[in-house]
Amino acid sequence: MEIYFLGTNAGVPTLQRNVTSIALRLLEERRTFWMFDCGEGTQHQVLRSPLRLGKLEKLFITHLHGDHLFGLPGLLSSRGYQGGTSPLTVYGPPGIKAYLDISLSASQSRIPYKLEIIEHSGGLVFEDDTFKVEAGLLEHRIDSYGYRVTEKDSPGNLDAELLKSYGLKPGPLYGKLKRGEDITTEDGIVIRAADVIHAPKRGRIVTILGDTRPCQGTLPLAQDADLIIHEATFAHDLADMAYQYHHSTARQAAELAREAGGRELLLTHFSSRYSSQEELIPLLEEAQAIFPATLLAEEFCTFPVHRRTPGNASGE
């Protein structure tokens, strides 16, 4: 599980940064990736990345401001031309379906795959055997949602070395043990499944917050998350401006991460007044003063989502 940034700028693109789009790479877990927001030019960013649109499985929109969805019609259309044939689901606030229906119909775009559009107003928006995604309303000029992606715990692996000591080789008996069934070897040795299976792997939690100023809605989404991705449009010396425009400062993002008990914080959605990564260092420093495990998002960079281990709250 990895985060890959396609756009980290707020409002408008610049020569240095594109507008918002985030990929959650689930290549080991699902052999796919999910995308969160799709600002103008996102499909160009994908072309410069290791991502392939044919692997895009789900796309979540936080809110209907242009810098978060103007790239969506083009990307959906291009996906078909780039070999994308598997189903794709788009999730977003009320209005996302009308936006896409009109855009794709008026442009006579051909979508050669099953496209499902699901509107939501928060709550549980997706769940299967391995993941669930919940959404919560934030505080912005229009309805904006954050998403909490929870990987479900997975069974522990068999202790291969211990089984080898019993003279047991991979085969049907391994399958029984994995299913939690005790077995008896040909030598009459009883092997209890609980003795040869490692502890379950704790699922990871990733919180991706849309545009917001500090509000009560962020905490339930970010609680105990392994990775929190939070907008940091301004440094804290512009806190009044951030509040006026319904955005957050880097310090406010760090305060949320600390209160939520998060493991790691990634800052993104930077104002274009900060034209380079170097000019973002003051934002990083003010956040790290409150929540040391803070990093700056950077386009075309990969950030692994670490798994916390039992008895180790800080992760690997």
Side-chain angles (χ1 to χ4, degrees):
M1 184 186 292
E2 299 172 326
I3 291 291
Y4 188 90
F5 285 93
L6 294 163
T8 62
N9 216 53
V12 295
T14 67
L15 292 175
Q16 292 76 33
R17 297 192 299 266
N18 200 49
V19 284
T20 299
S21 185
I22 302 168
L24 175 61
R25 301 177 71 185
L26 301 169
L27 300 183
E28 291 185 6
E29 296 81 6
R30 303 175 73 92
R31 298 183 180 178
T32 65
F33 75 94
W34 295 355
M35 185 179 290
F36 293 80
D37 287 333
C38 187
E40 181 181 0
T42 294
Q43 64 172 310
H44 291 275
Q45 300 290 86
V46 171
L47 292 174
R48 299 170 58 194
S49 80
L51 303 172
R52 297 293 175 264
L53 287 181
K55 295 288 186 180
L56 177 59
E57 178 189 12
K58 296 182 180 297
L59 204 160
F60 300 85
I61 298 297
T62 61
H63 64 294
L64 303 185
H65 275 158
D67 58 321
H68 292 255
L69 89 166
F70 277 169
L72 188 50
L75 182 139
L76 295 178
S77 178
S78 295
R79 183 176 186 264
Y81 288 107
Q82 295 179 22
T85 57
S86 58
L88 171 62
T89 306
V90 176
Y91 303 82
I96 186 65
K97 188 175 189 309
Y99 171 75
L100 286 177
D101 285 347
I102 292 171
S103 300
L104 297 175
S105 174
S107 61
Q108 298 186 31
S109 297
R110 180 175 174 270
I111 306 296
Y113 53 85
K114 181 182 178 182
L115 175 63
E116 184 178 11
I117 304 168
I118 297 178
E119 295 187 338
H120 68 81
S121 297
L124 182 66
V125 298
F126 168 75
E127 185 171 18
D128 66 5
D129 292 339
T130 56
F131 283 90
K132 71 175 179 179
V133 181
E134 300 161 285
L137 184 64
L138 307 176
E139 190 172 314
H140 194 48
R141 290 193 295 114
I142 62 174
D143 284 355
S144 179
Y145 290 87
Y147 291 98
R148 178 182 175 92
V149 180
T150 302
E151 178 188 31
K152 297 184 179 181
D153 293 348
S154 57
N157 294 325
L158 291 175
D159 188 330
E161 289 301 316
L162 181 56
L163 291 174
K164 185 178 179 180
S165 71
Y166 286 118
L168 198 63
K169 297 180 179 180
L173 294 181
Y174 268 47
K176 287 187 176 182
L177 290 169
K178 287 182 179 179
R179 294 193 295 270
E181 302 174 22
D182 298 341
I183 65 169
T184 302
T185 68
E186 294 179 355
D187 298 329
I189 300 174
V190 176
I191 301 177
R192 296 176 63 249
D195 294 336
V196 296
I197 297 179
H198 292 297
K201 292 182 180 179
R202 178 189 180 276
R204 289 159 286 185
I205 299 172
V206 177
T207 297
I208 300 175
L209 299 172
D211 287 9
T212 187
R213 58 190 182 189
C215 66
Q216 292 182 345
T218 57
L219 186 57
L221 294 170
Q223 194 70 51
D224 298 323
D226 297 287
L227 179 63
I228 300 169
I229 300 176
H230 198 299
E231 69 134 286
T233 308
F234 301 106
H236 204 69
D237 61 346
L238 296 175
D240 290 343
M241 180 182 292
Y243 185 85
Q244 178 184 354
Y245 288 103
H246 293 81
H247 285 296
S248 298
T249 68
R251 181 190 299 180
Q252 290 166 343
E255 289 170 344
L256 179 274
R258 181 178 63 184
E259 183 180 5
R263 181 189 180 276
E264 196 168 22
L265 172 66
L266 273 171
L267 302 178
T268 188
H269 197 270
F270 308 116
S271 167
S272 56
R273 69 179 56 230
Y274 311 110
S275 60
S276 67
Q277 286 295 113
E278 289 72 24
E279 291 183 54
L280 292 172
I281 296 302
L283 280 75
L284 177 63
E285 292 175 343
E286 72 178 38
Q288 287 181 335
I290 295 169
F291 190 79
T294 302
L295 296 171
L296 293 173
E298 189 170 354
E299 292 173 27
F300 307 117
C301 286
T302 300
F303 297 83
V305 183
H306 298 105
R307 189 188 306 275
R308 301 192 199 201
T309 55
N312 181 8
S314 64
E316 297 175 347

